[in-house]
Amino acid sequence: MAWRGSVIKWTNTGYIRSFKVTTRSSRLSYYKQQRCGFRREAKRPDTKKGNVLEEANQSPSETGKPGPTPFPKAPRPTLLKPLMFTVGFTGCSFGAAAILQYENLKLRVQAARDEEEAEKLLQGSQDMAHWHDWWNKLSGFQRQLILLMSTVDDFWSSLTEGQRTVTGIIAVNAVVLCCWRIPIMQRSMIKYFTSNPASKTKCLPMILSSFSHYSIIHMMANMYVLWTFSSGIVSLLGKEQFLAVYLSAGVISTMVSYICKTTTGRLYPSLGASGAVMAVLAAVCTKVPEAKLGIIFLPMLTFSAGSALKALIAIDTAGLILGWRLLDHAAHLGGALFGIWYIAYGHKLIWRRREPLVKMWHNIRAGESRPKGGPGSSGA
């Protein structure tokens, strides 16, 4: 009757193996526990029929052997704190941009006045012999350095305001890319420069991951698109408002990615400036939909900006529905929708209502610049 004992033993083994079927997230989180908790039972000598039936009827607690325990379910991440951070960061970005614009206007006015005064002082006092002697007294290295600085200044002056603005963004992305190549910084880079709703640190990576690229090709593609559309977006919004839109789009697109990942249960990290870049591209294409665009490798193929935006949104929507994992399609859609919304409604709702904040800042600055013994101050 040994075959009956073998059948009962086979059914018990199948029952234990049925607990190994878990969801995808459980496989990732508890893979080691599965391998260590369920080992194949060692072969035992055949026993009599009565003993086999008696052992089969006994519970795991009666036999003294631990039975299969169900795997704990991973708690769903809470997104209240990232949502509050998104709202607060967006408001602070536009508030800081309004104050920065006010300060830049004051600096431009002061610089124009100083330039006029300098021109008046230099009129009639230009002595070419003096500058000739000064140049001859310089060493060869000093002359080369001055020529190099003049060349760099000419190149910088030839750039548009938008290109000069995004140069700093490109430099920050390049520095972060180099940091990814330093082995000692890998742990910190994963913690702060990748966005993942399952991570303990959720808020700060929403900003830093927008400047983080691990692949050189990924960074070059994003920065090329940003460089191409920088002149158009800065001419439409101004550099201060553009910076507020860019930073806010990076955080908002990450928030949309958090929501989609938590809803679908696909909790994986992502990084890159694609969400913010998509907001810039969508804003320009929404404002100027009839503009002609092309592909750098296919110059003979041209299409309108409106058609390009619709195609990109359709591709990202299909990728989100079908669960493509190559790109973070939720972040792309979040950035594109924010760019469209801001050009259609956000500019009127946010930027055009900055006047009370600017007046308050002006009063604060006027109070700081007023002398203590001047008019309006109370004496002892």
Side-chain angles (χ1 to χ4, degrees):
M1 303 297 292
W3 64 272
R4 298 191 63 180
S6 301
V7 171
I8 296 175
K9 180 180 177 181
W10 177 79
T11 55
N12 291 337
T13 305
Y15 172 76
I16 293 175
R17 289 178 179 175
S18 64
F19 282 91
K20 295 185 179 182
V21 180
T22 58
T23 60
R24 185 175 183 180
S25 60
S26 299
R27 290 200 306 270
L28 294 176
S29 303
Y30 304 101
Y31 178 73
K32 292 185 178 180
Q33 286 84 339
Q34 289 181 17
R35 290 291 300 274
C36 299
F38 302 113
R39 297 181 180 178
R40 184 174 295 177
E41 186 180 2
K43 291 184 178 180
R44 294 180 297 178
D46 295 337
T47 58
K48 296 182 180 181
K49 174 182 176 182
N51 295 335
V52 172
L53 293 176
E54 184 178 355
E55 290 181 1
N57 293 331
Q58 289 179 346
S59 61
S61 60
E62 294 175 353
T63 57
K65 297 180 180 180
T69 57
F71 298 112
K73 293 183 179 180
R76 179 168 294 185
T78 58
L79 300 180
L80 179 60
K81 188 175 180 180
L83 180 60
M84 295 175 62
F85 176 80
T86 301
V87 176
F89 181 82
T90 302
C92 292
S93 297
F94 282 96
I99 294 173
L100 181 62
Q101 187 186 58
Y102 168 82
E103 294 293 337
N104 287 336
L105 287 175
K106 288 186 63 177
L107 291 176
R108 289 177 184 176
V109 172
Q110 186 64 33
R113 292 176 181 176
D114 294 342
E115 187 176 357
E116 290 179 1
E117 294 178 359
E119 289 179 356
K120 291 178 181 179
L121 292 174
L122 290 175
Q123 286 179 357
S125 62
Q126 295 180 356
D127 188 1
M128 295 302 298
H130 170 74
W131 294 109
H132 222 23
D133 295 338
W134 175 79
W135 179 261
N136 292 331
K137 292 179 181 179
L138 297 176
S139 63
F141 175 76
Q142 291 175 335
R143 293 178 184 178
Q144 294 295 330
L145 184 61
I146 292 174
L147 291 175
L148 178 62
M149 292 174 61
S150 178
T151 304
V152 173
D153 183 68
D154 292 340
F155 171 75
W156 184 258
S157 301
S158 64
L159 298 177
T160 63
E161 187 177 11
Q163 292 172 341
R164 290 196 295 266
T165 303
V166 301
T167 300
I169 299 176
I170 296 174
V172 173
N173 281 269
V175 171
V176 175
L177 179 67
C178 295
C179 292
W180 274 107
R181 301 301 185 269
I182 302 176
I184 197 174
M185 296 185 65
Q186 292 295 310
R187 185 182 298 272
S188 298
M189 298 299 294
I190 294 173
K191 181 178 180 180
Y192 295 107
F193 287 85
T194 59
S195 58
N196 187 353
S199 175
K200 293 182 179 179
T201 307
K202 298 184 182 69
C203 296
L204 188 58
M206 298 176 74
I207 307 172
L208 300 180
S209 63
S210 299
F211 297 90
S212 177
H213 296 82
Y214 188 81
S215 170
I216 298 177
I217 298 177
H218 187 199
M219 191 199 78
M220 291 180 63
N222 281 336
M223 295 301 103
Y224 174 77
V225 175
L226 181 62
W227 179 271
T228 303
F229 288 88
S230 61
S231 300
I233 190 67
V234 172
S235 63
L236 290 173
L237 304 178
K239 64 179 182 180
E240 297 86 6
Q241 188 180 181
F242 158 72
L243 290 174
V245 171
Y246 185 85
L247 295 175
S248 301
V251 176
I252 291 173
S253 62
T254 305
M255 186 66 215
V256 175
S257 176
Y258 277 2
I259 295 173
C260 292
K261 289 176 182 177
T262 305
T263 303
T264 58
R266 300 168 182 170
L267 305 178
Y268 56 90
S270 58
L271 72 171
S274 301
V277 172
M278 280 293 295
V280 172
L281 189 150
V284 176
C285 293
T286 303
K287 190 68 176 180
V288 194
E290 67 278 0
K292 294 297 181 181
L293 303 179
I295 303 176
I296 184 173
F297 301 109
L298 299 173
M300 73 293 297
L301 181 62
T302 59
F303 40 84
S304 64
S307 301
L309 180 60
K310 293 176 183 178
L312 290 174
I313 291 177
I315 293 173
D316 286 322
T317 303
L320 182 62
I321 295 174
L322 299 177
W324 298 345
R325 292 284 299 273
L326 182 61
L327 301 173
D328 193 345
H329 298 281
H332 289 193
L333 282 176
L337 294 178
F338 174 73
I340 296 171
W341 174 84
Y342 188 80
I343 293 298
Y345 307 102
H347 179 75
K348 298 178 182 178
L349 295 175
I350 299 176
W351 191 251
R352 290 187 181 180
R353 298 184 179 182
R354 71 189 187 280
E355 186 175 355
L357 177 63
V358 175
K359 285 184 177 180
M360 183 180 67
W361 180 257
H362 174 75
N363 295 333
I364 294 174
R365 290 297 306 272
E368 292 178 352
S369 60
R370 185 180 302 164
K372 294 183 179 180
S377 60
S378 60

